[in-house]
Amino acid sequence: MVMICPKCDSRRIDTRHYGRRTGSTIGAVAGAVGVAASVFRGAELGAMVGAVTGPVGTVVGTITGGVIGCLLGGATGGALGAKLGEVVDQNILNNHKCLECGFAFCSHAPASEQTAAFTQTASSSNDGFGQY
């Protein structure tokens, strides 16, 4: 679907994805930290599997089990956070920005809401993110 600016009819639209980026980051960190408790269980399981090959296998199994647990938790949390952030982008934030006039809008808002959003955006043109 081609996005068109409701203010100036330009097709030069940037999609910002602030919610998805933030959600993904928070989810990845929360997933990795949340798995920290079960890392010990993964390390314990890795040590048991590695014990078959002796002391070196136990150490390698422990480290591998812990690392894999953190990676899986971070990836799962990041994916869930990205999905949640995407919902926030689509339903709450003005996720699109016109590169011609600077108008920020969401793809589903009625024109009256978008005009109100433009008035607020225009009054605070320096949003801290720089110009695109």
Side-chain angles (χ1 to χ4, degrees):
M1 180 172 134
V2 176
M3 296 297 302
I4 298 173
C5 176
K7 178 133 176 82
C8 72
D9 294 327
S10 172
R11 293 181 188 269
R12 295 187 58 218
I13 306 297
D14 182 34
T15 305
R16 301 186 290 182
H17 299 299
Y18 291 141
R20 185 171 68 180
R21 290 178 190 162
T22 304
S24 177
T25 302
I26 291 171
V29 170
V33 169
V35 168
S38 52
V39 163
F40 295 115
R41 180 71 181 132
E44 186 179 299
L45 192 65
M48 287 176 19
V49 170
V52 174
T53 60
V56 173
T58 303
V59 171
V60 170
T62 301
I63 293 170
T64 304
V67 168
I68 288 174
C70 277
L71 290 175
L72 288 176
T76 303
L80 291 174
K83 279 296 185 193
L84 178 64
E86 198 170 310
V87 170
V88 170
D89 278 339
Q90 291 172 353
N91 297 306
I92 297 172
L93 300 177
N94 289 333
N95 195 38
H96 304 290
K97 183 175 183 179
C98 177
L99 298 175
E100 293 290 327
C101 68
F103 181 59
F105 61 98
C106 57
S107 57
H108 69 280
S112 61
E113 287 181 25
Q114 291 178 356
T115 304
F118 176 72
T119 306
Q120 293 171 353
T121 303
S123 65
S124 61
S125 61
N126 185 4
D127 61 357
F129 297 105
Q131 295 294 327
Y132 296 136

